Amino acid sequence: MFRSITILLLFWISAGVKDVFCCSCIERVKCTCLGESYKNMSQTPLKYLTIAGSNIELLNQDMMQLHANSLQDLYLTDVRSLRQIDVNTFEGFSRIRTLSIVNAPLLTLISSNLLKQLSTLKMLKIVRTGITHIPQLPVNTDTIMEVIDLEGNKINVVSSGSIRVKAEHLFLGYNNIQMIEGWAFNGSQIAKLNLRGNRELRVLSEDAFSGIQDLQLIVS
């Protein structure tokens, strides 16, 4: 069942079909909504939600609040019209562990307080969007995140103190990074840092990686 839904999802995305009006749900806890069907998604609190190939422009608290105490994984895929995620969208979300936003070229800003409140996150993926700055990432002194993936965006500078996280893997590849300032990752605990594909990188401070704890590998 899981495999069939995944195949269906990939088929519709690859075919470029947008006007699909169906949400496929499993036991009312896992839903995959294609096209505009998210408007009619389950009124039962969900654990897992995928919205794909949608023309959604705004994600806000009204849409998501029903799932605040249940949602664990949220995937927004191929949401090419998405322009804004309201700062209070995830207010009160106490269990979310995965947030994935992929292919949202019109999304240029992540509010500074949007992610801070998601202290239970284990995986954050913001890939191929229009963001130009490092978003303020969640910091939980008790939890080490598995993956923070910010590849394929428009980030141009990693400024001093802009990243302070605990993560096994941090991906910043294939951005437009031109400068990494000194102590950019100060206070972070990162095992593997990936900077591959940043061909515009011209200025790398000699203290760029100072202040990182437990760093094992840098890929550039």
Side-chain angles (χ1 to χ4, degrees), residues 139-194:
V139 176
N140 186 333
T141 56
D142 299 323
T143 302
I144 298 177
M145 294 181 65
E146 295 174 6
V147 174
I148 299 175
D149 188 349
L150 301 177
E151 286 201 337
N153 297 299
K154 308 295 183 183
I155 297 167
N156 48 51
V157 175
V158 184
S159 56
S160 298
S162 61
I163 297 178
R164 185 171 178 265
V165 296
K166 289 184 176 182
E168 295 178 11
H169 301 267
L170 173 59
F171 294 89
L172 292 172
Y174 301 103
N175 277 279
N176 297 332
I177 296 175
Q178 301 173 24
M179 176 188 299
I180 302 179
E181 297 180 353
W183 302 87
F185 307 89
N186 188 31
S188 291
Q189 184 177 334
I190 302 168
K192 298 178 182 178
L193 174 60
N194 196 312

Short mmCIF file of all heavy atoms in Angstrom, two decimals, residues 139-194:
data_model
loop_
_atom_site.label_atom_id
_atom_site.label_comp_id
_atom_site.label_asym_id
_atom_site.label_seq_id
_atom_site.Cartn_x
_atom_site.Cartn_y
_atom_site.Cartn_z
N VAL A 139 17.11 25.10 18.01
CA VAL A 139 18.19 24.67 18.90
C VAL A 139 17.56 23.96 20.09
O VAL A 139 16.74 24.52 20.80
CB VAL A 139 19.03 25.86 19.40
CG1 VAL A 139 20.07 25.38 20.40
CG2 VAL A 139 19.70 26.57 18.24
N ASN A 140 17.92 22.71 20.26
CA ASN A 140 17.44 21.94 21.40
C ASN A 140 18.66 21.33 22.08
O ASN A 140 19.37 20.52 21.49
CB ASN A 140 16.48 20.83 20.94
CG ASN A 140 15.84 20.10 22.12
OD1 ASN A 140 16.40 20.03 23.21
ND2 ASN A 140 14.65 19.56 21.89
N THR A 141 18.91 21.74 23.29
CA THR A 141 20.13 21.30 23.98
C THR A 141 20.15 19.81 24.25
O THR A 141 21.20 19.24 24.51
CB THR A 141 20.28 22.06 25.31
OG1 THR A 141 19.09 21.84 26.10
CG2 THR A 141 20.46 23.55 25.07
N ASP A 142 18.98 19.16 24.16
CA ASP A 142 18.91 17.73 24.48
C ASP A 142 18.90 16.83 23.26
O ASP A 142 19.07 15.62 23.38
CB ASP A 142 17.64 17.44 25.30
CG ASP A 142 17.63 18.20 26.62
OD1 ASP A 142 18.70 18.33 27.22
OD2 ASP A 142 16.55 18.67 27.02
N THR A 143 18.69 17.40 22.07
CA THR A 143 18.51 16.59 20.87
C THR A 143 19.51 16.96 19.79
O THR A 143 19.72 18.15 19.51
CB THR A 143 17.08 16.77 20.31
OG1 THR A 143 16.13 16.40 21.32
CG2 THR A 143 16.86 15.90 19.08
N ILE A 144 20.13 15.95 19.18
CA ILE A 144 20.98 16.16 18.02
C ILE A 144 20.18 15.80 16.78
O ILE A 144 19.72 14.66 16.64
CB ILE A 144 22.26 15.31 18.10
CG1 ILE A 144 23.09 15.71 19.32
CG2 ILE A 144 23.09 15.48 16.83
CD1 ILE A 144 24.34 14.88 19.51
N MET A 145 19.99 16.75 15.88
CA MET A 145 19.23 16.49 14.67
C MET A 145 20.03 15.56 13.75
O MET A 145 21.26 15.60 13.72
CB MET A 145 18.90 17.79 13.95
CG MET A 145 17.96 18.69 14.73
SD MET A 145 17.56 20.23 13.85
CE MET A 145 16.67 19.60 12.42
N GLU A 146 19.32 14.74 13.00
CA GLU A 146 19.99 13.82 12.08
C GLU A 146 20.48 14.56 10.84
O GLU A 146 21.63 14.40 10.43
CB GLU A 146 19.03 12.70 11.69
CG GLU A 146 18.63 11.81 12.86
CD GLU A 146 17.57 10.80 12.48
OE1 GLU A 146 17.21 10.72 11.28
OE2 GLU A 146 17.08 10.09 13.38
N VAL A 147 19.60 15.35 10.23
CA VAL A 147 19.94 16.03 8.98
C VAL A 147 19.34 17.42 8.95
O VAL A 147 18.16 17.60 9.28
CB VAL A 147 19.43 15.24 7.75
CG1 VAL A 147 19.66 16.03 6.47
CG2 VAL A 147 20.09 13.88 7.66
N ILE A 148 20.15 18.39 8.55
CA ILE A 148 19.66 19.71 8.15
C ILE A 148 20.15 19.91 6.72
O ILE A 148 21.35 19.99 6.47
CB ILE A 148 20.19 20.83 9.06
CG1 ILE A 148 19.74 20.62 10.51
CG2 ILE A 148 19.72 22.20 8.55
CD1 ILE A 148 20.34 21.62 11.48
N ASP A 149 19.22 19.95 5.79
CA ASP A 149 19.56 20.02 4.36
C ASP A 149 19.05 21.33 3.78
O ASP A 149 17.84 21.54 3.67
CB ASP A 149 18.93 18.83 3.63
CG ASP A 149 19.40 18.71 2.19
OD1 ASP A 149 20.05 19.66 1.69
OD2 ASP A 149 19.12 17.67 1.56
N LEU A 150 19.98 22.21 3.43
CA LEU A 150 19.63 23.51 2.83
C LEU A 150 20.26 23.63 1.44
O LEU A 150 20.65 24.72 1.02
CB LEU A 150 20.12 24.65 3.74
CG LEU A 150 19.57 24.67 5.17
CD1 LEU A 150 20.20 25.80 5.97
CD2 LEU A 150 18.05 24.81 5.18
N GLU A 151 20.33 22.55 0.72
CA GLU A 151 20.98 22.55 -0.59
C GLU A 151 20.08 23.16 -1.67
O GLU A 151 18.86 23.11 -1.60
CB GLU A 151 21.38 21.13 -1.00
CG GLU A 151 22.57 20.59 -0.23
CD GLU A 151 23.27 19.45 -0.96
OE1 GLU A 151 22.65 18.79 -1.80
OE2 GLU A 151 24.46 19.22 -0.67
N GLY A 152 20.75 23.73 -2.69
CA GLY A 152 20.05 24.16 -3.89
C GLY A 152 19.21 25.40 -3.73
O GLY A 152 18.27 25.61 -4.51
N ASN A 153 19.53 26.24 -2.74
CA ASN A 153 18.80 27.49 -2.56
C ASN A 153 19.59 28.65 -3.15
O ASN A 153 20.44 28.46 -4.02
CB ASN A 153 18.50 27.69 -1.07
CG ASN A 153 17.60 26.60 -0.52
OD1 ASN A 153 16.47 26.43 -0.96
ND2 ASN A 153 18.10 25.83 0.45
N LYS A 154 19.32 29.88 -2.69
CA LYS A 154 19.99 31.07 -3.22
C LYS A 154 20.83 31.76 -2.14
O LYS A 154 21.13 32.95 -2.25
CB LYS A 154 18.95 32.06 -3.76
CG LYS A 154 17.96 31.48 -4.76
CD LYS A 154 18.63 31.03 -6.03
CE LYS A 154 17.60 30.52 -7.04
NZ LYS A 154 18.25 30.01 -8.27
N ILE A 155 21.22 31.02 -1.12
CA ILE A 155 21.97 31.59 0.00
C ILE A 155 23.31 32.11 -0.52
O ILE A 155 24.03 31.41 -1.23
CB ILE A 155 22.19 30.52 1.08
CG1 ILE A 155 20.84 30.08 1.66
CG2 ILE A 155 23.09 31.05 2.20
CD1 ILE A 155 20.91 28.83 2.51
N ASN A 156 23.65 33.36 -0.15
CA ASN A 156 24.88 33.96 -0.68
C ASN A 156 25.95 34.24 0.36
O ASN A 156 27.12 34.36 0.01
CB ASN A 156 24.57 35.24 -1.47
CG ASN A 156 23.64 36.17 -0.72
OD1 ASN A 156 23.86 36.49 0.43
ND2 ASN A 156 22.56 36.59 -1.38
N VAL A 157 25.57 34.34 1.63
CA VAL A 157 26.54 34.61 2.69
C VAL A 157 26.20 33.77 3.91
O VAL A 157 25.03 33.65 4.28
CB VAL A 157 26.56 36.10 3.09
CG1 VAL A 157 27.50 36.32 4.28
CG2 VAL A 157 26.98 36.98 1.93
N VAL A 158 27.23 33.17 4.50
CA VAL A 158 27.07 32.53 5.81
C VAL A 158 27.78 33.45 6.79
O VAL A 158 29.01 33.45 6.88
CB VAL A 158 27.66 31.11 5.83
CG1 VAL A 158 27.37 30.45 7.17
CG2 VAL A 158 27.09 30.27 4.69
N SER A 159 27.01 34.25 7.49
CA SER A 159 27.59 35.29 8.33
C SER A 159 27.95 34.77 9.72
O SER A 159 27.53 33.69 10.13
CB SER A 159 26.61 36.46 8.45
OG SER A 159 25.36 36.02 8.95
N SER A 160 28.74 35.55 10.43
CA SER A 160 29.21 35.16 11.77
C SER A 160 28.03 34.85 12.68
O SER A 160 27.09 35.65 12.79
CB SER A 160 30.04 36.29 12.37
OG SER A 160 31.19 36.54 11.60
N GLY A 161 28.08 33.68 13.31
CA GLY A 161 27.05 33.30 14.27
C GLY A 161 25.69 32.98 13.67
O GLY A 161 24.71 32.85 14.41
N SER A 162 25.62 32.82 12.35
CA SER A 162 24.31 32.60 11.72
C SER A 162 23.81 31.17 11.88
O SER A 162 22.61 30.91 11.71
CB SER A 162 24.37 32.95 10.24
OG SER A 162 25.31 32.13 9.55
N ILE A 163 24.71 30.25 12.21
CA ILE A 163 24.30 28.85 12.38
C ILE A 163 24.76 28.36 13.74
O ILE A 163 25.95 28.38 14.06
CB ILE A 163 24.91 27.95 11.28
CG1 ILE A 163 24.36 28.37 9.90
CG2 ILE A 163 24.60 26.49 11.54
CD1 ILE A 163 24.93 27.57 8.75
N ARG A 164 23.80 27.94 14.54
CA ARG A 164 24.10 27.36 15.86
C ARG A 164 23.16 26.19 16.07
O ARG A 164 22.01 26.37 16.47
CB ARG A 164 23.94 28.40 16.96
CG ARG A 164 24.35 27.89 18.34
CD ARG A 164 24.39 29.03 19.36
NE ARG A 164 24.72 28.53 20.68
CZ ARG A 164 23.81 28.21 21.61
NH1 ARG A 164 22.52 28.35 21.34
NH2 ARG A 164 24.18 27.76 22.79
N VAL A 165 23.64 25.01 15.73
CA VAL A 165 22.79 23.82 15.74
C VAL A 165 23.55 22.63 16.30
O VAL A 165 24.78 22.66 16.43
CB VAL A 165 22.30 23.47 14.32
CG1 VAL A 165 21.41 24.55 13.76
CG2 VAL A 165 23.48 23.20 13.39
N LYS A 166 22.80 21.58 16.58
CA LYS A 166 23.37 20.27 16.86
C LYS A 166 22.85 19.32 15.79
O LYS A 166 21.65 19.06 15.73
CB LYS A 166 22.97 19.78 18.25
CG LYS A 166 23.61 20.54 19.40
CD LYS A 166 23.23 19.91 20.73
CE LYS A 166 23.95 20.59 21.89
NZ LYS A 166 23.61 19.95 23.19
N ALA A 167 23.74 18.83 14.94
CA ALA A 167 23.31 18.00 13.83
C ALA A 167 24.40 17.03 13.41
O ALA A 167 25.59 17.36 13.46
CB ALA A 167 22.90 18.86 12.63
N GLU A 168 23.98 15.85 12.98
CA GLU A 168 24.94 14.88 12.45
C GLU A 168 25.41 15.31 11.06
O GLU A 168 26.59 15.18 10.73
CB GLU A 168 24.31 13.50 12.41
CG GLU A 168 23.98 12.93 13.79
CD GLU A 168 23.30 11.57 13.71
OE1 GLU A 168 23.27 10.98 12.60
OE2 GLU A 168 22.79 11.10 14.74
N HIS A 169 24.49 15.81 10.25
CA HIS A 169 24.82 16.23 8.89
C HIS A 169 24.21 17.60 8.61
O HIS A 169 23.01 17.80 8.84
CB HIS A 169 24.28 15.23 7.85
CG HIS A 169 24.78 13.84 8.02
ND1 HIS A 169 25.90 13.36 7.36
CD2 HIS A 169 24.34 12.81 8.77
CE1 HIS A 169 26.11 12.10 7.70
NE2 HIS A 169 25.18 11.74 8.56
N LEU A 170 25.02 18.51 8.09
CA LEU A 170 24.53 19.82 7.64
C LEU A 170 24.94 20.00 6.18
O LEU A 170 26.13 19.98 5.85
CB LEU A 170 25.12 20.95 8.49
CG LEU A 170 24.82 22.38 8.03
CD1 LEU A 170 23.32 22.65 7.96
CD2 LEU A 170 25.51 23.40 8.93
N PHE A 171 23.94 20.15 5.31
CA PHE A 171 24.18 20.30 3.88
C PHE A 171 23.90 21.74 3.46
O PHE A 171 22.78 22.23 3.63
CB PHE A 171 23.27 19.36 3.08
CG PHE A 171 23.56 17.90 3.29
CD1 PHE A 171 22.92 17.19 4.30
CD2 PHE A 171 24.46 17.23 2.47
CE1 PHE A 171 23.18 15.84 4.50
CE2 PHE A 171 24.72 15.87 2.66
CZ PHE A 171 24.08 15.18 3.68
N LEU A 172 24.92 22.39 2.88
CA LEU A 172 24.77 23.76 2.37
C LEU A 172 25.19 23.83 0.90
O LEU A 172 25.48 24.91 0.39
CB LEU A 172 25.62 24.73 3.20
CG LEU A 172 25.18 24.97 4.65
CD1 LEU A 172 26.21 25.81 5.38
CD2 LEU A 172 23.82 25.65 4.70
N GLY A 173 25.23 22.70 0.25
CA GLY A 173 25.75 22.63 -1.11
C GLY A 173 24.86 23.29 -2.15
O GLY A 173 23.67 23.50 -1.95
N TYR A 174 25.48 23.62 -3.28
CA TYR A 174 24.79 24.11 -4.47
C TYR A 174 23.93 25.34 -4.19
O TYR A 174 22.82 25.48 -4.71
CB TYR A 174 23.96 22.99 -5.10
CG TYR A 174 24.82 21.81 -5.49
CD1 TYR A 174 24.83 20.65 -4.71
CD2 TYR A 174 25.66 21.87 -6.59
CE1 TYR A 174 25.65 19.58 -5.03
CE2 TYR A 174 26.48 20.80 -6.92
CZ TYR A 174 26.47 19.66 -6.14
OH TYR A 174 27.29 18.61 -6.47
N ASN A 175 24.45 26.23 -3.36
CA ASN A 175 23.85 27.54 -3.17
C ASN A 175 24.66 28.56 -3.98
O ASN A 175 25.44 28.19 -4.86
CB ASN A 175 23.84 27.90 -1.68
CG ASN A 175 22.65 27.28 -0.95
OD1 ASN A 175 21.54 27.80 -1.00
ND2 ASN A 175 22.88 26.16 -0.27
N ASN A 176 24.48 29.83 -3.66
CA ASN A 176 25.26 30.89 -4.30
C ASN A 176 26.22 31.51 -3.29
O ASN A 176 26.49 32.71 -3.35
CB ASN A 176 24.34 31.97 -4.87
CG ASN A 176 23.43 31.46 -5.96
OD1 ASN A 176 23.77 30.49 -6.65
ND2 ASN A 176 22.27 32.06 -6.12
N ILE A 177 26.72 30.70 -2.38
CA ILE A 177 27.55 31.22 -1.28
C ILE A 177 28.84 31.84 -1.83
O ILE A 177 29.62 31.17 -2.51
CB ILE A 177 27.87 30.11 -0.27
CG1 ILE A 177 26.58 29.62 0.39
CG2 ILE A 177 28.84 30.63 0.80
CD1 ILE A 177 26.77 28.44 1.32
N GLN A 178 29.02 33.11 -1.52
CA GLN A 178 30.22 33.83 -1.94
C GLN A 178 31.18 34.07 -0.78
O GLN A 178 32.37 34.26 -0.98
CB GLN A 178 29.82 35.19 -2.55
CG GLN A 178 28.91 35.06 -3.75
CD GLN A 178 28.40 36.41 -4.23
OE1 GLN A 178 29.03 37.45 -3.99
NE2 GLN A 178 27.26 36.41 -4.89
N MET A 179 30.64 34.05 0.45
CA MET A 179 31.46 34.36 1.61
C MET A 179 31.01 33.55 2.82
O MET A 179 29.81 33.41 3.07
CB MET A 179 31.35 35.86 1.95
CG MET A 179 32.10 36.27 3.22
SD MET A 179 31.77 37.99 3.70
CE MET A 179 32.39 38.86 2.26
N ILE A 180 31.99 33.02 3.55
CA ILE A 180 31.73 32.41 4.85
C ILE A 180 32.57 33.17 5.86
O ILE A 180 33.81 33.13 5.81
CB ILE A 180 32.08 30.91 4.87
CG1 ILE A 180 31.28 30.15 3.80
CG2 ILE A 180 31.77 30.32 6.25
CD1 ILE A 180 31.58 28.67 3.73
N GLU A 181 31.90 33.89 6.73
CA GLU A 181 32.60 34.74 7.68
C GLU A 181 33.16 33.93 8.86
O GLU A 181 32.80 32.76 9.06
CB GLU A 181 31.65 35.83 8.20
CG GLU A 181 31.16 36.77 7.11
CD GLU A 181 30.23 37.84 7.65
OE1 GLU A 181 29.87 37.78 8.85
OE2 GLU A 181 29.87 38.75 6.88
N GLY A 182 34.03 34.56 9.61
CA GLY A 182 34.61 33.92 10.78
C GLY A 182 33.58 33.56 11.82
O GLY A 182 32.61 34.29 12.03
N TRP A 183 33.79 32.41 12.44
CA TRP A 183 32.92 31.92 13.51
C TRP A 183 31.46 31.80 13.05
O TRP A 183 30.52 32.00 13.81
CB TRP A 183 33.01 32.83 14.74
CG TRP A 183 34.41 32.94 15.28
CD1 TRP A 183 35.38 33.82 14.88
CD2 TRP A 183 35.01 32.12 16.29
NE1 TRP A 183 36.54 33.62 15.58
CE2 TRP A 183 36.35 32.58 16.46
CE3 TRP A 183 34.55 31.07 17.08
CZ2 TRP A 183 37.22 32.00 17.37
CZ3 TRP A 183 35.42 30.50 17.99
CH2 TRP A 183 36.74 30.97 18.13
N ALA A 184 31.28 31.46 11.79
CA ALA A 184 29.93 31.35 11.23
C ALA A 184 29.10 30.28 11.92
O ALA A 184 27.87 30.38 12.01
CB ALA A 184 30.00 31.06 9.73
N PHE A 185 29.77 29.23 12.41
CA PHE A 185 29.08 28.09 13.01
C PHE A 185 29.32 28.02 14.52
O PHE A 185 29.17 26.96 15.13
CB PHE A 185 29.55 26.79 12.36
CG PHE A 185 29.46 26.79 10.85
CD1 PHE A 185 30.51 27.26 10.07
CD2 PHE A 185 28.32 26.34 10.22
CE1 PHE A 185 30.44 27.25 8.69
CE2 PHE A 185 28.23 26.33 8.83
CZ PHE A 185 29.29 26.79 8.06
N ASN A 186 29.70 29.12 15.11
CA ASN A 186 30.11 29.14 16.51
C ASN A 186 29.03 28.57 17.43
O ASN A 186 27.86 28.96 17.35
CB ASN A 186 30.43 30.58 16.93
CG ASN A 186 31.05 30.64 18.31
OD1 ASN A 186 31.75 29.72 18.73
ND2 ASN A 186 30.79 31.72 19.03
N GLY A 187 29.44 27.65 18.29
CA GLY A 187 28.50 27.04 19.23
C GLY A 187 27.77 25.84 18.69
O GLY A 187 26.96 25.23 19.40
N SER A 188 28.06 25.47 17.43
CA SER A 188 27.39 24.33 16.82
C SER A 188 28.11 23.03 17.14
O SER A 188 29.32 23.01 17.41
CB SER A 188 27.33 24.49 15.30
OG SER A 188 26.46 25.52 14.92
N GLN A 189 27.36 21.96 17.08
CA GLN A 189 27.90 20.61 17.19
C GLN A 189 27.50 19.89 15.90
O GLN A 189 26.35 19.50 15.72
CB GLN A 189 27.32 19.90 18.42
CG GLN A 189 27.90 18.53 18.68
CD GLN A 189 27.34 17.92 19.97
OE1 GLN A 189 26.93 18.64 20.88
NE2 GLN A 189 27.31 16.60 20.04
N ILE A 190 28.46 19.75 14.98
CA ILE A 190 28.19 19.21 13.65
C ILE A 190 29.24 18.14 13.33
O ILE A 190 30.44 18.42 13.41
CB ILE A 190 28.25 20.31 12.57
CG1 ILE A 190 27.23 21.42 12.88
CG2 ILE A 190 27.99 19.73 11.19
CD1 ILE A 190 27.42 22.67 12.04
N ALA A 191 28.79 16.96 12.95
CA ALA A 191 29.74 15.89 12.61
C ALA A 191 30.23 16.04 11.17
O ALA A 191 31.43 15.96 10.90
CB ALA A 191 29.10 14.53 12.82
N LYS A 192 29.30 16.25 10.23
CA LYS A 192 29.67 16.33 8.82
C LYS A 192 29.04 17.57 8.19
O LYS A 192 27.83 17.77 8.26
CB LYS A 192 29.22 15.07 8.07
CG LYS A 192 29.90 13.80 8.59
CD LYS A 192 29.41 12.55 7.87
CE LYS A 192 30.07 11.30 8.44
NZ LYS A 192 29.58 10.06 7.78
N LEU A 193 29.89 18.39 7.56
CA LEU A 193 29.46 19.64 6.94
C LEU A 193 29.74 19.55 5.44
O LEU A 193 30.87 19.31 5.03
CB LEU A 193 30.21 20.81 7.55
CG LEU A 193 30.02 22.20 6.92
CD1 LEU A 193 28.56 22.62 6.98
CD2 LEU A 193 30.90 23.22 7.62
N ASN A 194 28.70 19.75 4.63
CA ASN A 194 28.84 19.61 3.19
C ASN A 194 28.62 20.97 2.51
O ASN A 194 27.56 21.57 2.64
CB ASN A 194 27.82 18.60 2.66
CG ASN A 194 28.16 18.11 1.26
OD1 ASN A 194 28.45 18.91 0.38
ND2 ASN A 194 28.12 16.81 1.06
#
